[in-house]
Amino acid sequence: MAKTQRGWRVDDEIAELATARAKDRGMSVSDYIAALVREDVDGLRQRGLDAARRFLDEHQDVFDEAEEADRRAPGAHAA
């Protein structure tokens, strides 16, 4: 995978913490930051899926009623 070099500015404390955590995990700081971003993105996806599941659990009856109404309506069937 191609890599792009970027320059980020963070407080000295954050830089030291990132360096220490990366070392603790046996990773480079670049790999550590990449892992944090991936974990954040994956967590965001999971939170979205969880929210969708809660929405459907809460409102499934509305969708069921709409589907049932479509089945009863003449000419409302897909080809």
Side-chain angles (χ1 to χ4, degrees):
M1 176 187 314
K3 295 192 177 202
T4 301
Q5 184 172 340
R6 301 280 191 226
W8 310 102
R9 294 179 188 269
V10 296
D11 293 337
D12 288 340
E13 178 187 8
I14 298 299
E16 291 170 13
L17 289 169
T19 302
R21 285 300 296 140
K23 183 179 178 184
D24 290 346
R25 293 177 72 175
M27 305 169 81
S28 69
V29 174
S30 294
D31 289 342
Y32 176 65
I33 291 170
L36 290 176
V37 171
R38 282 189 203 99
E39 289 169 12
D40 182 53
V41 169
D42 290 345
L44 180 61
R45 180 179 183 275
Q46 189 58 52
R47 288 190 302 275
L49 291 172
D50 291 345
R53 172 54 46 207
R54 285 191 306 275
F55 177 84
L56 287 175
D57 288 347
E58 208 171 303
H59 303 289
Q60 185 63 51
D61 57 326
V62 174
F63 293 103
D64 292 343
E65 289 172 17
E67 285 181 4
E68 185 59 32
D70 280 350
R71 279 190 215 111
R72 284 181 270 157
H77 304 285

